[in-house]
Each structure stands twice: as structure tokens, then as C-alpha cells.
Amino acid sequence: MKRDILINAAQRETRVAILEDDQLVELMIDRPDNRRMVGDIYLGKVEAVLPGIQAAFVQIGTEKSAFLHASDLVFDEGDDDEDEDEESDDDEEPDAPSPRGRRAKAPPIQDVLKRGQDIIVQVSKEPISTKGPRVTAQVSLAGRFVVFMPFASRVGVSRKIGEREERRRLRDQVQAVLPPDSGGVIVRTVGEDVTQETFKREISTLIQQWKKIKRKSHFQHAPALVHRETSLTRGLIRDLFSTKIDGLQVDSKQVYNEIIEYLKGIAPELQDRVTLYEDSIPIFDKAGIEPEIRDLFKRRCDLPSGGYLIIEQTEALVSVDVNSGRYTGKKDPEKTIFKTNTEAARELARQLRLRDIGGIIVCDFIDMETKANRDKVLQELRTNLSRDRARTKAFAVSELGLIEMTRQRVRASHYQNSTELCTVCGGSGRVFTPESTMRRFERSVRRMASDGKKDSLIVKVHPEVALYVLEHEHDMIHKLEKSVGFSLDVRDDPLLKPDEFKLVVKGAERDVTQQYAMA
């Protein structure tokens, strides 16, 4: 498979696109006002310890306090055998700290932390929606070939290196150069062909980096940032750029020089794969991926044969509905449905990566009669999910014909980061119809009349509602006036929302909408 990386670097935004066989599969965006936090290390102050949920809230200087669970505290993990090696962060976003494997049971959090205590923590998940960041006290520092964990005591190897003998060889190499009682190390996938001297040099650099972080924390008052994770571009080169990438193009001379300088120190053999893009046509336009980026926020995603997906993101989960659309096949309906579902499984895996959607995902594929076809669609989904660097898990088809899955989420999706709630609909995507708005207005006027008020009113409505009254309910106002015993003067106001109205007492110019418009 051909894999390419394109970097579009502007003054206020850096965008990175990953292409597989010339198809956009991943997009990363970094802006100064929405900086990526995962991997940053803070000296925090414990604000509250909650034994009931075995968690604490730690103030690190963000708008909302960070969440620290007892399982993310530093404690003795016990002895692990080689079959329990932890995965490296190869499956993570470029700047995510390495995940933890199986651990001993955490001690009660109230025995470890007290309110007002200072603690060094690392961001493992960025603030999402109403939640603050999630942090861990089990700090990890990522290098190109290894991940150094100062509070661990073991040497692990990425599970993507499958051969037992190779894993043992790498483990022995690292143990030979790892200073006693200095911490733990995980060998990353890209470190498979690295020499022992290279391991020694990188481990030494990471140990010195950790010592510098500890020294800095001694002279800071919590909350304070003591280590910032490397930039998006630098982290991408460190974690992803290898011989598996055919080429990298960047449209900024400054960023190009930074990448070349960085590669001189860690992988000089890859320098010839980096190209400075100097064409007058914008780099993403040249690759033809701007339309796909624009369509990231659409609910509908079309499939090659004519079917389509409807992707809805909610607070609790992401729902995906598969529709056959205009594709009706020829004779066999089961074949038609199977083809649509297979395409949908392939596209769903790509859209999850492209939109950076995480959490719980529920997909409603078109019902299939045979179990064999259901299993094939599930396998197609899992095969395509295996290319995802974020950890994913897809479960078997449920009794309702749904496929439930999870995808690791360390930050808000592109949809959440690049959009905001509509001030008209409040995020629901719906507003009251003109008829519903008029019924609400009518109830408010009758409520005012039942309160004994006889003041003449100026009724302000959106122009669309005023037009609806003229065309469909032209005599309604007159009948309502006779019923309540006071005059109503309807006027259009383009500044109002489509389903909003105002009741203003004529002469006094007093707004009584809130008093009577309960529903």
C-alpha cells in the first residue's frame, strides 16, 4: 500500500493529511487557539479526593480541573512475565502517551492523595464537551525508538513485533543499556532494526529530559506546565515517519528545514523522502482532498455503488445508519444488501479515522438474512479498523442487527473542534414550524387574558411566520382578538429567530414575553 503525508503549514494553522493509495484517511489540525494537550506534563494541585468513585480532581491551570483515577496513580505493578508486555504508543495519536497494560490493583486513592497536595501528572485525554482533561501520574516520555517510563521497572516490546525471539533480543539489548533503577522502557515498532548504541543514546536523552522536568517542578508553584509535548509536525515525524511512508510533502520552507534538521539526528536515511512543495496551486488542492475535508461535517457520506451512511454524533455515542439509496441491484436482494454493507463497513472505518471520532459507536447495517454474510461484513469492518492507529474494538452483530464498537478517544473530534452550537436550534438541528410557533403565541395571549390583562399588544414574529399567517391563518388574529378582548398588531422582525416571538405592550413598550410564553 502506498502511503504519503502532506503538510499544509500556515501562520495560524497547520494541517497534516495522511493518504493511503492516494485516498485521504486521516487529518490532523493544530491551531494556536486550540493547542493539542495530550502528552503535556503539569505540576498540579489536588483540589478534591472522591473515595466514592476512586478519583481525584487536580487543578493544572485549565478551565476545568483534570480528572485523575486511582488506576492512573503510581504504585507497585508487581512482576510481569514476557507475555504481558505493554503495547507501545504506535497505536495512539502521535502525541499520546503510551497505554498501560495489565496492572496490579490500585490502592485506595484516599490513602495516596490529600487535598492541597502537589503532584506531577500528564494529560492522557483532552477536554471534550463538558468534561475537563484526564490525567495520569504514570508519566511517559516518547522517543523515536523507545518510550521511557520513569515510574515503571520493566522492559516491554511493542506487540506489533510479533516474533518471540525478536522480542527477546530487543528486550535483552535494552536491559543491557538501561541504568539500574532508572525506570522502565517500551521498545517501539520502528526500533526493531536499531542498534544497541542507538537505544543507549536515546534512553540517556529521555532520562536527562525527565531529570530536567523534575528539577523544574521543584521551582514552580502549582498549577504549572513543566513539559510541553513536541509540536504536531515534529511528533508526527518522530512517531509515524518511517520506511513505510513513501513520501512527505510540505509547503513551508521553514517547516521543511525543521524536518530535515530533525531527521539528520534520528533517521538521516529518510531525508530524501521529504519534498518541499513549491507549486502555486495549494498543496491540498493539488492532491484533490479539499472537497473531502469540507465534507467532514456533513451527516451524509455517499458510497461508491449509490448507498450512503448517515453519521450522527451525540453526547453519549455516535450512531451510523446504512442505507441502500439508489442502488437496487439486479435480481438477488441479499447480494445487493451484502454489497452495500461491505462498502459501508469499509467507508465507516475510514470515516472514523478521518473525522477522528471516538467513544461508543453503534452502526445499523441493512438487515441480512444469512449469518455468513453478517460475519463477512463484520470481518471487513475489523480488517479496515486494523489500519487505525487508535485502539478499536468491534463486537459481534447484536440481536437487533447492530454492530457496536469503541474507538479510543484522546481529544474532541474535528466536528466538535471546528463547529459550535447553532444559536437558533441550540444544537438539535430543528426549530419549531411556523404553525407550532403560532400555537405557542396563541397560548401565551390566552394566558395573558386569563390573568386579567387587557393591554393591546404588538406581536413581533419572524418574517417567515408573518408570511405563514397571511397565507394560511389570515383570520386567526381577528378571532383571537374577539376572544381575549384586546387588539393584536402583528409585525415581522427579521432579527428574531425563526421560531421566536415577542409580546410588547403597545404604548408602554413593555416586553411581557417571558411572563406568559411558557410553552
Side-chain angles (χ1 to χ4, degrees):
M1 177 183 290
K2 181 188 174 191
R3 301 183 76 194
D4 296 286
I5 297 175
L6 306 180
I7 301 177
N8 169 223
Q11 186 175 356
R12 297 287 299 173
E13 179 184 68
T14 298
R15 297 186 300 170
V16 177
I18 299 177
L19 280 66
E20 293 178 355
D21 290 334
D22 296 323
Q23 185 179 43
L24 180 65
V25 296
E26 204 166 330
L27 177 71
M28 287 163 276
I29 301 174
D30 198 22
R31 298 188 183 112
D33 59 345
N34 192 20
R35 190 182 59 81
R36 300 158 81 90
M37 292 178 61
V38 172
D40 289 354
I41 300 174
Y42 290 84
L43 177 65
K45 186 177 289 291
V46 178
E47 277 196 333
V49 179
L50 308 174
I53 59 173
Q54 282 298 292
F57 285 100
V58 182
Q59 180 53 254
I60 61 172
T62 51
E63 183 180 351
K64 293 193 175 182
S65 296
F67 179 84
L68 172 65
H69 192 263
S71 61
D72 289 314
L73 293 172
V74 175
F75 57 92
D76 185 10
E77 299 180 32
D79 295 326
D80 296 297
D81 62 36
E82 66 174 313
D83 293 328
E84 293 184 313
D85 289 342
E86 302 178 44
E87 296 181 27
S88 77
D89 59 351
D90 292 12
D91 295 327
E92 303 282 323
E93 290 293 329
D95 51 2
S98 60
R100 304 295 172 179
R102 286 170 277 184
R103 295 189 290 252
K105 186 178 180 181
I109 196 166
Q110 63 271 26
D111 294 346
V112 181
L113 295 181
K114 297 290 182 286
R115 189 172 184 271
Q117 178 180 337
D118 288 356
I119 181 173
I120 294 178
V121 292
Q122 184 174 37
V123 178
S124 58
K125 183 183 289 188
E126 294 185 2
I128 298 174
S129 185
T130 59
K131 298 176 182 177
R134 178 159 182 165
V135 295
T136 176
Q138 300 181 33
V139 174
S140 63
L141 297 173
R144 177 165 175 80
F145 307 112
V146 300
V147 176
F148 174 65
M149 301 171 295
F151 297 116
S153 58
R154 56 184 297 209
V155 174
V157 179
S158 166
R159 286 181 181 162
K160 289 190 175 181
I161 300 175
E163 294 184 13
R164 182 175 289 269
E165 286 302 315
E166 179 65 11
R167 294 166 65 83
R168 184 176 289 113
R169 182 187 71 81
L170 290 169
R171 186 181 294 106
D172 291 343
Q173 271 196 337
V174 171
Q175 285 176 334
V177 298
L178 182 64
D181 302 321
S182 59
V185 167
I186 296 176
V187 180
R188 308 184 69 179
T189 308
V190 74
E192 187 171 5
D193 300 320
V194 171
T195 64
Q196 191 173 43
E197 182 60 33
T198 302
F199 279 135
K200 182 179 180 180
R201 187 166 57 248
E202 184 164 88
I203 290 171
S204 176
T205 300
L206 294 174
I207 290 174
Q208 291 304 314
Q209 189 178 24
W210 171 241
K211 288 180 178 178
K212 182 179 177 181
I213 291 170
K214 285 202 299 184
R215 283 196 303 270
K216 188 175 181 180
S217 68
H218 291 152
F219 298 101
Q220 297 276 3
H221 293 287
L225 176 68
V226 292
H227 171 74
R228 176 162 287 173
E229 181 55 276
T230 189
S231 67
L232 170 62
T233 304
R234 193 182 180 97
L236 184 82
I237 301 302
R238 179 193 68 195
D239 296 333
L240 191 62
F241 193 48
S242 67
T243 53
K244 295 179 181 178
I245 303 297
D246 293 275
L248 184 152
Q249 290 188 343
V250 55
D251 62 2
S252 164
K253 180 70 173 177
Q254 179 183 345
V255 177
Y256 170 80
N257 290 335
E258 289 175 4
I259 292 173
I260 293 296
E261 193 63 33
Y262 184 52
L263 286 174
K264 284 180 182 178
I266 64 165
E269 71 279 4
L270 295 177
Q271 291 182 71
D272 59 353
R273 300 190 185 213
V274 182
T275 307
L276 175 63
Y277 182 84
E278 298 181 290
D279 201 319
S280 59
I281 302 173
I283 185 170
F284 280 16
D285 288 354
K286 184 82 170 182
I289 59 176
E290 281 290 8
E292 279 195 84
I293 295 173
R294 185 186 63 240
D295 291 345
L296 281 182
F297 311 113
K298 291 184 177 179
R299 295 171 62 246
R300 175 167 168 154
C301 178
D302 292 322
L303 301 174
S305 65
Y308 60 92
L309 305 177
I310 296 294
I311 303 173
E312 295 275 11
Q313 296 189 50
T314 69
E315 185 75 18
L317 52 80
V318 177
S319 67
V320 182
D321 186 37
V322 181
N323 296 283
S324 58
R326 69 175 184 272
Y327 179 59
T328 56
K330 294 182 179 178
K331 292 182 179 180
D332 189 348
E334 182 72 5
K335 285 185 178 179
T336 302
I337 292 170
F338 175 68
K339 181 177 181 181
T340 302
N341 281 342
T342 303
E343 288 183 356
R346 202 174 297 129
E347 185 63 19
L348 172 59
R350 187 176 81 97
Q351 288 296 324
L352 294 181
R353 291 175 66 187
L354 189 53
R355 299 177 185 225
D356 201 9
I357 293 173
I360 299 171
I361 298 126
V362 178
C363 186
D364 183 12
F365 286 92
I366 304 171
D367 291 339
M368 291 172 286
E369 293 181 1
T370 65
K371 184 178 184 301
N373 284 347
R374 291 196 293 269
D375 290 343
K376 287 178 183 177
V377 169
L378 177 60
Q379 187 56 45
E380 182 71 20
L381 176 61
R382 286 174 172 169
T383 299
N384 284 273
L385 287 174
S386 66
R387 300 172 186 163
D388 199 338
R389 290 183 297 129
R391 294 195 303 276
T392 59
K393 186 171 184 179
F395 298 89
V397 181
S398 73
E399 293 182 5
L400 293 175
L402 307 173
I403 290 182
E404 300 164 1
M405 61 172 291
T406 61
R407 183 175 185 269
Q408 181 190 22
R409 176 169 60 181
V410 296
R411 62 180 56 83
S413 67
H414 291 311
Y415 177 78
Q416 292 168 313
N417 273 332
S418 300
T419 64
E420 59 184 20
L421 285 181
C422 170
T423 56
V424 175
C425 70
S428 69
R430 313 282 291 185
V431 294
F432 285 112
T433 63
E435 183 180 7
S436 297
T437 303
M438 289 307 298
R439 298 293 75 78
R440 291 168 57 228
F441 147 72
E442 186 178 351
R443 286 193 294 272
S444 300
V445 171
R446 293 189 184 279
R447 196 174 290 121
M448 182 176 174
S450 67
D451 201 24
K453 299 291 190 290
K454 297 295 181 181
D455 299 315
S456 297
L457 292 179
I458 297 173
V459 182
K460 296 181 180 180
V461 295
H462 189 271
E464 286 186 12
V465 177
L467 182 62
Y468 168 82
V469 172
L470 287 173
E471 292 182 346
H472 301 283
E473 298 190 17
H474 57 275
D475 60 340
M476 187 274 288
I477 298 296
H478 179 64
K479 291 178 179 178
L480 185 57
E481 286 177 325
K482 288 183 66 176
S483 175
V484 298
F486 52 84
S487 66
L488 302 169
D489 183 7
V490 179
R491 299 179 186 176
D492 65 327
D493 186 346
L495 297 180
L496 293 179
K497 298 173 184 178
D499 56 359
E500 186 182 14
F501 62 86
K502 284 189 177 181
L503 306 178
V504 181
V505 176
K506 190 177 290 188
E509 299 300 320
R510 179 164 47 91
D511 191 335
V512 294
T513 312
Q514 292 299 319
Q515 189 175 349
Y516 297 106
M518 298 180 185

